[in-house]
Amino acid sequence: GDDLPAGELEIPAGTGVFEHPHLAYMKDTCTISVKGPAKAVVTKGSDVMIAVARYGKGTVFAVVDPWVYNEYVDRRNHLPEKYDNLAGAIDLAGWAVRQ
């Protein structure tokens, strides 16, 4: 609905994935349980929202919502300017390339 603050996710700088702080908007989220080599990267309260794990020669990035897609990054859904999903996506892409 219109309860945008419920979908806010503060992503701090220096997480190992994100170099810069971001305020992302994620709708209809779930949570992640981490174990083994997985590590929580971003939490909301005690809930893990983003996690990373090294697996074989690769890296797995897990997130609770597909927040990096067209309407969330091109502003077609008229999200307030404070949500910077596009900037977060650019930060994430830079990290992914370095992997």
Side-chain angles (χ1 to χ4, degrees), residues 42-67:
V42 178
T43 59
K44 186 174 185 176
S46 62
D47 293 330
V48 177
M49 306 299 278
I50 299 175
V52 169
R54 301 270 182 219
Y55 186 78
K57 295 180 181 180
T59 303
V60 176
F61 174 84
V63 63
V64 299
D65 179 70
W67 61 283

Side-chain angles (χ1 to χ4, degrees), residues 55-97:
Y55 186 78
K57 295 180 181 180
T59 303
V60 176
F61 174 84
V63 63
V64 299
D65 179 70
W67 61 283
V68 178
Y69 65 95
N70 55 0
E71 65 193 51
Y72 280 23
V73 297
D74 68 7
R75 303 244 177 242
R76 279 190 290 155
N77 62 1
H78 307 290
L79 282 176
E81 291 292 321
K82 69 179 182 175
Y83 300 114
D84 65 340
N85 287 26
L86 178 58
I90 291 168
D91 213 357
L92 173 61
W95 170 83
V97 168

